[in-house]
Amino acid sequence: MKKTLTMTPVKRRSLLKAGGALIINFNFQTTTFGQEQRPLAGPPDPEQIDSWIAIHQDNTATVFIGFAELGQGCSTALLQVAAEELDLSMAQIGTIGLDTHITPNQGGTYSSSAMRVGGPQIQRAAAEARQVLLQMATEQLKVDFDSLQVENGIIYSNETKTRNTSYGELIGDRQFNLAFSGNAPLKNPADYKLVATPFPRKDFPLKAKGTYRYIQHLRLPNMLHGRIVRPRGQGAYKNGVQVVDINEASIASIPGARVIRRSNFVGVVAEKEWDAVKAAQQLEIIWDQPDSLPGNENLFTQMEKGLTNERVAVEQGDVSAFNEAFVKSEFKAYGPYQAHVPFAPNCALADVKQNSALVMCSSQDIYNTRTSIANLLGMETEKVRVQFHDGAGTFGHSCWDDVAQAAALMSSMVGQPVRVQYMRWDEHGWDTYGPAHIGKTRISADRNGKLVSYEYEGWQHHWSLIETSEQTAKGTPAAEWPPFPAQQINPRTLGGMYDIPNRYLLNHHVPGLDYLKGAWLRSPVDLSFSFVSEQAIDDLAFQLGIDPWQFRQQNISEFHWLGVLNAAAKAANWQPRPAAENVSNAAIVRGRGIGVGTHLASYGGAVAEIEVNKRTGDVRILHLCGAIDAGLVVNTSNVENQIVGQLVQTASRMLLEEVTFNKTNVTSLDWASYPILRFEQCPEITPVIVQRLNEAPSGAGEEVMAAAAAAIANAFFDATGKRMTMYPFTPERVLQTLAV
Amino acid sequence: MTSLTINGVSIDVEADSDTPLLYVLTDELLLQGPRFGCGLAQCGSCSVLVDGIETRACVTPIATLKDKSITTLEGITAYYAAKSGLASIPQSTPVQDALVAEQALQCGYCYNGMIIKATELLLNNPDPSDAEIRSAMNGHLCRCGTYPKIISAIKKASLMIRVAQQGEDDTITEGLA
Ligand code: FES
Ligand code: FES
């Protein structure tokens, strides 16, 4: 394979002469850029076998996967699916990076879609390829189709054992040129050899050695380093960024550093990275920063008081049954803005020429990013090529589109390739945050402990559509995504697991332009939903004097939901007793709680054990058990890791994470002002998979977080007899709650 | 011109003496181990060993590193071999092997710092308790939440090191099974 990327000629000859002990690898993983295979702008036709699979002469296969590897291991799992159907070994199968000139458009990697959507697509393509190959083998070997067997890509016939052929021999490096027949049989799950096993991830050894190339490691020939320059911390979305004055002379002392400006988009470029970093910090700019944000203090009052757009999400039965019910719970609680803040700030490289553009970035939806970059540059879509390269785990829409646009803009203005990486404060301060939420619920049950009515009203704004780079460079006005379910209240998590005859869910869309930028953050708003809803459910159980696990059991008939509920309780060795039974005057108290919830599919159940220090207000989470039912789990070790990650992140989000802002701008700009969980705070974690071999994969990347958030909140009540009405559980908030 | 010793090799670098070591390692020497995470000494992404002590390269000007020995992830196997008195340099260290064996990573971006720090820990204390591991690692963040798996990997690496050192001691090998 030809090299298509070369390193900037290394200026540091002295280093190379110094000897071989320093390991420097200039040899970029060029298979990633195999444009010789498909020189045309994609997406390739999804109904063609060649769009998905290429068989090589050496009897190996390349699978073209349209999903981003986000650290969740989906690339390994999707290869397991393909290898299983093709009867290849994992050593014989590989993939290449996402590229709008090569890989199919499977839609963005959202909502745990990789396995749910991608699994069946790739399985079908592999089955089609296998069927064609077997037909070719019948002709070549002159044997009956039904007598053929495949092992590691070698095709044998039962009839004439001596004769065989192989995939590579039949079609190696030639195209199938065939559309899907639609009738290729899929393997029976009982015969799975690779699927549903903990196959080790292919990227791990390289990552542990440090030789894996993240986007942050890539370099283009003759490139400059760029940094964006914005106020520290965003203001209201509608205001974008307003430059009043720039003193370009303020960076004159940095050799080669230049200011790049288009309208209110400001950046600096320099040949050396440190010079770009210094220049971005040293550049004197006066900004106009209107004080139009509500600040943390007035956030919820403003959200609730302002005009909102209402939508009834669920209306079923008559919730006025509440009035006559035996026990009632009314509860209102709040969830903060939280940030994605990947461990490494986002990075992108762009090489924009007169008539073409190459953009390398970490977009989870390269085809969508291509459109936005083409618009921004005023170029035809087909002329823009976007490649995905993974960076650090991002858990939703962080700044990857924004930085890709910034790199493209800077490259188009300097006429050279530019690599842009955000600084820590850019990433923390200009994120599209997981939106804040207000939830208000009224739930009731009868004297037998059966739920009677369920009402929920939720307030939050939508996701931001226009990236700050475009907003500042082109003056495109801020705008939100049009309404659609994923950014609104979630009927699955809001009581959807229970048998409730009367239910009413009302969504208040708060127009978002006066607030911070928003987007989907792993399990979008679900932690807030279940924080409100599952505490109210728990409260009914408490009023009835029933154990909270048993109360849920008697109100759930759907077997998947019961499955995760019971699996979590069992893993935690839950012994039934009513909540808050052991509340005492001790300074340090413990409690345990249970909860159920999910995102848009799959099922999650969790149990938490926590410790509260009533003197200091410190909360420690001691143990989290989380169970996921995600249908068929292809790679059990991946999903186990996913559950561990979700539970640790939930602990972090419930105890520590909150975006802070005043009237002008965001003030949580680094790991000190926006802390996340650390080793010493990390609870014991017990992941549980409820495996369903005969069901389709439904996604396991975010579906136990809502349950775990609820379990933590309910554990607090069990320990103290008090309910928290806002997270994170900071010491001040805890002391306030305990004082009431 | 500043002279630095990196992974046992002495190198003259052109960068200004106030340049943080990280930018010399990544931008001039194109190393992949140390990597930018915060630039504020808050996360451990950029960690290297300086005379055996874990150090944040993002805030360490090269001027302070004359006559010091810098080890990056690229040189960790050689460093580990020298410190442990191994006859030859292994392909990977016990910490790296254990991380892979435990499938302890997700995005893996934080692993430079985790490996550097865990190596420092185990060379000083081959048999750390759970609390000692947590306290040593506490300055290293992982956004993906792999802490529990990293803790078990460090325990496993500790066991592997002790088994290698003590040879055929049955009481220790049992735990490896
Ligand atoms: S990059 Fe140096 S500690 Fe974060
Ligand atoms: S594995 Fe992603 S930051 Fe640690």
Side-chain angles (χ1 to χ4, degrees):
Chain A
M1 194 142 301
K2 273 168 287 162
K3 262 202 231 174
T4 51
L5 267 191
T6 48
M7 179 51 67
T8 323
V10 181
K11 296 158 277 180
R12 324 296 161 210
R13 296 286 163 209
S14 56
L15 158 67
L16 296 177
K17 283 201 208 101
L22 269 174
I23 299 163
I24 302 178
N25 195 342
F26 301 106
N27 224 348
F28 276 103
Q29 290 146 336
T30 46
T31 45
T32 320
F33 311 104
Q35 69 264 61
E36 61 275 18
Q37 302 182 36
R38 286 215 191 84
L40 298 176
D45 180 356
E47 289 298 311
Q48 288 284 325
I49 296 176
D50 295 314
S51 303
W52 299 93
I53 287 163
I55 305 278
H56 308 297
Q57 283 176 29
D58 61 358
N59 213 24
T60 60
T62 300
V63 183
F64 305 109
I65 295 176
F67 284 99
E69 174 59 56
L70 309 170
Q72 82 278 50
C74 80
S75 51
T76 301
L78 290 170
L79 288 180
Q80 277 174 276
V81 169
E84 182 75 70
E85 276 316 312
L86 283 165
D87 286 311
L88 287 170
S89 72
M90 285 297 278
Q92 290 173 291
I93 199 154
T95 185
I96 58 162
L98 285 174
D99 186 323
T100 55
H101 276 46
I102 298 178
T103 47
N105 187 358
Q106 289 188 293
T109 310
Y110 308 129
S111 298
S112 308
S113 59
M115 295 315 299
R116 181 166 48 81
V117 181
Q121 282 172 325
I122 284 176
Q123 183 185 27
R124 193 172 149 234
E128 291 279 352
R130 183 181 195 271
Q131 176 165 269
V132 173
L133 287 160
L134 290 191
Q135 267 151 11
M136 293 167 83
T138 9
E139 283 155 36
Q140 188 187 322
L141 301 176
K142 306 269 183 296
V143 291
D144 213 41
F145 185 94
D146 290 333
S147 77
L148 293 176
Q149 282 184 350
V150 189
E151 209 174 295
N152 296 340
I154 311 282
I155 309 177
Y156 305 87
S157 161
N158 285 338
E159 300 165 13
T160 54
K161 291 230 165 57
T162 47
R163 265 190 291 155
N164 62 54
T165 182
S166 71
Y167 289 170
E169 201 178 317
L170 291 168
I171 201 165
D173 290 323
R174 280 175 293 121
Q175 302 225 310
F176 284 91
N177 279 325
L178 277 176
F180 285 8
S181 67
N183 60 21
L186 300 177
K187 214 181 226 184
N188 181 342
D191 299 333
Y192 284 163
K193 292 195 209 80
L194 288 169
V195 165
T197 63
F199 197 84
R201 266 174 55 179
K202 291 190 144 194
D203 52 341
F204 279 3
L206 296 178
K207 285 179 171 176
K209 283 220 68 117
T211 52
Y212 187 88
R213 271 183 214 93
Y214 295 93
I215 179 100
Q216 286 85 354
H217 290 125
L218 302 184
R219 302 287 186 274
L220 286 166
N222 192 29
M223 78 175 204
L224 296 174
H225 286 280
R227 287 295 181 280
I228 54 159
V229 186
R230 290 178 187 165
R232 291 278 169 100
Q234 63 185 270
Y237 181 31
K238 65 174 180 205
N239 295 330
V241 173
Q242 305 295 331
V243 179
V244 177
D245 191 34
I246 302 186
N247 175 13
E248 297 205 13
S250 59
I251 60 163
S253 64
I254 304 170
R258 275 186 281 165
V259 177
I260 301 291
R261 178 176 183 188
R262 177 171 296 168
S263 184
N264 288 304
F265 175 87
V266 186
V268 292
V269 290
E271 207 172 302
K272 287 190 181 184
E273 188 169 13
W274 175 239
D275 288 338
V277 171
K278 267 195 303 190
Q281 291 183 60
Q282 201 170 304
L283 184 65
E284 291 170 9
I285 302 194
I286 300 173
W287 308 102
D288 177 18
Q289 290 182 278
D291 54 355
S292 61
L293 283 171
N296 293 100
E297 306 75 45
N298 297 319
L299 171 66
F300 296 116
T301 328
Q302 181 174 320
M303 280 171 67
E304 212 177 351
K305 284 218 176 108
L307 277 182
T308 59
N309 307 311
E310 326 298 355
R311 182 182 70 97
V312 178
V314 170
E315 186 165 21
Q316 168 194 318
D318 181 0
V319 287
S320 69
F322 179 88
N323 301 329
E324 310 302 322
F326 182 66
V327 283
K328 303 170 186 185
S329 183
E330 292 189 64
F331 191 59
K332 183 174 178 188
Y334 308 86
Y337 280 105
Q338 295 189 322
H340 298 84
V341 287
F343 183 73
N346 272 285
C347 176
L349 293 88
D351 186 4
V352 179
K353 303 212 165 76
Q354 197 70 36
N355 220 1
S356 71
L358 169 68
V359 177
M360 301 153 98
C361 62
S362 300
S363 166
Q364 290 182 14
D365 191 348
I366 51 171
Y367 282 98
N368 200 23
T369 300
R370 181 175 67 164
T371 312
S372 85
I373 302 250
N375 283 339
L376 185 63
L377 298 174
M379 211 178 254
E380 285 162 56
T381 313
E382 291 66 37
K383 304 240 161 88
V384 179
R385 176 174 188 176
V386 178
Q387 292 176 340
F388 168 82
H389 298 270
D390 57 336
T394 175
F395 309 108
H397 186 277
S398 60
C399 300
W400 30 263
D401 267 327
D402 197 34
V403 76
Q405 291 187 354
L409 279 166
M410 289 196 208
S411 173
S412 74
M413 286 186 271
V414 298
Q416 256 174 279
V418 177
R419 172 189 183 273
V420 181
Q421 184 167 15
Y422 279 3
M423 299 302 288
R424 184 38 67 197
W425 43 82
D426 299 326
E427 189 74 40
H428 265 74
W430 288 89
D431 190 19
T432 37
Y433 305 104
H437 176 74
I438 307 171
K440 212 165 119 180
T441 189
R442 304 203 311 162
I443 312 183
S444 63
D446 65 20
R447 64 181 67 240
N448 301 319
K450 280 291 205 185
L451 288 167
V452 169
S453 71
Y454 182 107
E455 289 167 81
Y456 193 98
E457 288 180 70
W459 286 256
Q460 67 279 308
H461 61 71
H462 285 171
W463 301 339
S464 312
L465 188 63
I466 306 300
E467 298 294 337
T468 305
S469 290
E470 175 175 346
Q471 194 184 2
T472 49
K474 283 186 72 177
T476 314
E480 288 188 289
W481 285 53
F484 71 96
Q487 47 186 352
Q488 305 182 10
I489 61 174
N490 175 357
R492 272 181 80 82
T493 284
L494 294 174
M497 58 291 277
Y498 299 113
D499 309 325
I500 310 168
N502 308 295
R503 191 157 160 246
Y504 181 79
L505 305 184
L506 180 62
N507 188 78
H508 300 273
H509 163 223
V510 175
L513 305 192
D514 291 327
Y515 296 87
L516 304 178
K517 293 192 290 170
W520 57 101
L521 168 64
R522 199 180 201 183
S523 207
V525 209
D526 296 321
L527 278 68
S528 298
F529 297 146
S530 65
F531 177 64
V532 184
S533 171
E534 282 283 287
Q535 287 207 73
I537 293 281
D538 226 59
D539 183 42
L540 291 179
F542 170 72
Q543 291 185 46
L544 287 159
I546 305 178
D547 169 78
W549 173 33
Q550 287 174 343
F551 180 73
R552 285 175 176 81
Q553 275 182 320
Q554 67 195 42
N555 283 288
I556 295 177
S557 59
E558 210 284 334
F559 73 98
H560 297 93
W561 279 116
L562 267 180
V564 289
L565 175 73
N566 293 338
K570 241 175 85 186
N573 190 23
W574 184 279
Q575 304 300 326
R577 62 162 171 81
E581 216 180 44
N582 302 332
V583 167
S584 75
N585 287 327
I588 296 180
V589 290
R590 288 190 174 193
R592 54 103 195 254
I594 192 164
V596 275
T598 186
H599 182 43
L600 298 181
S602 303
Y603 310 83
V607 171
E609 196 191 335
I610 73 169
E611 187 177 275
V612 183
N613 184 325
K614 292 198 271 187
R615 273 201 209 107
T616 61
D618 282 324
V619 176
R620 277 167 49 81
I621 301 176
L622 305 170
H623 190 180
L624 286 175
C625 294
I628 278 192
D629 177 340
L632 166 67
V633 169
V634 172
N635 188 321
T636 46
S637 143
N638 272 357
V639 169
E640 203 184 284
N641 266 342
Q642 282 298 309
I643 298 176
V644 172
Q646 289 176 60
L647 295 176
V648 173
Q649 264 182 15
T650 305
S652 184
R653 286 169 66 174
M654 295 309 291
L655 294 189
L656 298 160
E657 298 187 30
E658 177 173 13
V659 175
T660 58
F661 55 103
N662 54 30
K663 287 196 177 338
T664 52
N665 59 282
V666 166
T667 53
S668 45
L669 298 173
D670 56 27
W671 298 121
S673 45
Y674 188 90
I676 60 170
L677 204 77
R678 292 172 178 275
F679 271 98
E680 288 190 328
Q681 299 158 307
C682 187
E684 187 188 334
I685 299 285
T686 308
V688 183
I689 295 172
V690 179
Q691 177 66 284
R692 304 240 180 238
L693 288 178
N694 292 309
E695 296 190 13
S698 54
E702 53 190 347
E703 287 76 5
V704 77
M705 300 182 79
I712 293 166
N714 289 331
F716 185 91
F717 177 77
D718 186 49
T720 64
K722 301 275 166 79
R723 293 232 169 249
M724 291 293 286
T725 55
M726 176 152 180
Y727 65 97
F729 296 2
T730 56
E732 308 77 67
R733 250 178 220 136
V734 167
L735 292 176
Q736 254 172 34
T737 303
L738 293 177
V740 176
Chain B
M1 195 80 94
T2 309
S3 179
L4 297 174
T5 306
I6 301 173
N7 298 336
V9 179
S10 145
I11 298 153
D12 291 331
V13 295
E14 297 166 6
D16 291 344
S17 60
D18 66 344
T19 308
L21 173 65
L22 178 63
Y23 292 96
V24 172
L25 298 176
T26 57
D27 193 30
E28 300 211 20
L29 306 182
L30 302 168
L31 295 181
Q32 290 203 168
R35 47 194 76 162
F36 181 83
C38 66
L40 303 162
Q42 293 177 345
C43 73
S45 184
C46 61
S47 292
V48 297
L49 294 173
V50 175
D51 289 346
I53 295 167
E54 184 262 322
T55 303
R56 306 289 158 106
C58 65
V59 292
T60 307
I62 52 175
T64 65
L65 294 167
K66 276 180 221 138
D67 307 320
K68 310 237 180 201
S69 168
I70 299 158
T71 306
T72 72
L73 184 59
E74 285 79 359
I76 199 75
T77 46
Y79 177 83
Y80 177 76
K83 288 286 161 191
S84 318
L86 303 185
S88 61
I89 299 175
Q91 280 292 308
S92 46
T93 65
V95 170
Q96 291 169 312
D97 292 340
L99 286 168
V100 176
E102 291 286 303
Q103 294 279 293
L105 57 160
Q106 291 187 40
C107 80
Y109 206 95
C110 62
Y111 273 60
N112 173 66
M114 297 295 178
I115 293 166
I116 295 283
K117 190 69 192 179
T119 305
E120 179 200 53
L121 168 68
L122 292 179
L123 284 172
N124 292 331
N125 176 4
D127 190 9
S129 66
D130 193 273
E132 285 169 331
I133 294 175
R134 285 171 184 261
S135 134
M137 302 303 294
N138 206 41
H140 289 257
L141 300 177
C142 173
R143 185 52 167 155
C144 301
T146 57
Y147 302 127
K149 294 251 176 178
I150 298 177
I151 294 171
S152 13
I154 293 175
K155 287 185 185 155
K156 182 171 215 149
S158 147
L159 205 52
M160 287 156 69
I161 292 170
R162 285 178 293 129
V163 167
Q165 281 169 355
Q166 300 184 10
E168 305 287 303
D169 187 329
D170 290 341
T171 51
I172 294 181
T173 32
E174 262 170 31
L176 261 187

